[in-house]
Amino acid sequence: MWYAGQRVICTNDHFSGAIWDWTSTVPREGEVYTIAEFEHLPQWDTHTPILSFLLQELSAENASAYFPSWRFEPAENNPPWAANALHPGRFSSSK
């Protein structure tokens, strides 16, 4: 599950040359970013909607540069809200 404010690691920074027509900065593999916003947007080549992220660290330079979610993975295993989630064994049916 993705959420605004989540820290993510870029796992793929191999872009086609066409990207430079609409942005001057791209995420780099291994770097950590923060999701500022996310939307389902059409891919530039197939126009198929795909979940895409606006990255806080890059949005100042490229206000509308969204990048596909498949290029990222979560940077943290235990997000801040997980501590308040229900414990899986709390409502066990065994006595």
Side-chain angles (χ1 to χ4, degrees), residues 14-34:
H14 301 287
F15 294 91
S16 74
I19 196 163
W20 304 115
D21 291 340
W22 58 272
T23 187
S24 60
T25 307
V26 296
R28 296 293 178 197
E29 188 170 332
E31 295 292 320
V32 178
Y33 300 93
T34 307

Side-chain angles (χ1 to χ4, degrees), residues 6-90:
Q6 182 175 9
R7 304 283 289 161
V8 293
I9 298 173
C10 178
T11 59
N12 183 317
D13 65 356
H14 301 287
F15 294 91
S16 74
I19 196 163
W20 304 115
D21 291 340
W22 58 272
T23 187
S24 60
T25 307
V26 296
R28 296 293 178 197
E29 188 170 332
E31 295 292 320
V32 178
Y33 300 93
T34 307
I35 299 173
E37 297 177 21
F38 54 92
E39 287 189 49
H40 281 88
L41 300 172
Q43 294 184 67
W44 72 272
D45 55 349
T46 65
H47 303 288
T48 304
I50 186 168
L51 182 63
S52 302
F53 301 147
L54 176 66
L55 303 171
Q56 182 176 324
E57 292 79 3
L58 303 182
S59 65
E61 297 175 30
N62 301 295
S64 62
Y66 283 73
F67 300 94
S69 62
W70 59 262
R71 293 185 179 276
F72 303 91
E73 61 183 44
E76 49 193 28
N77 292 329
N78 298 311
W81 52 264
N84 296 327
L86 293 177
H87 186 275
R90 183 173 177 189

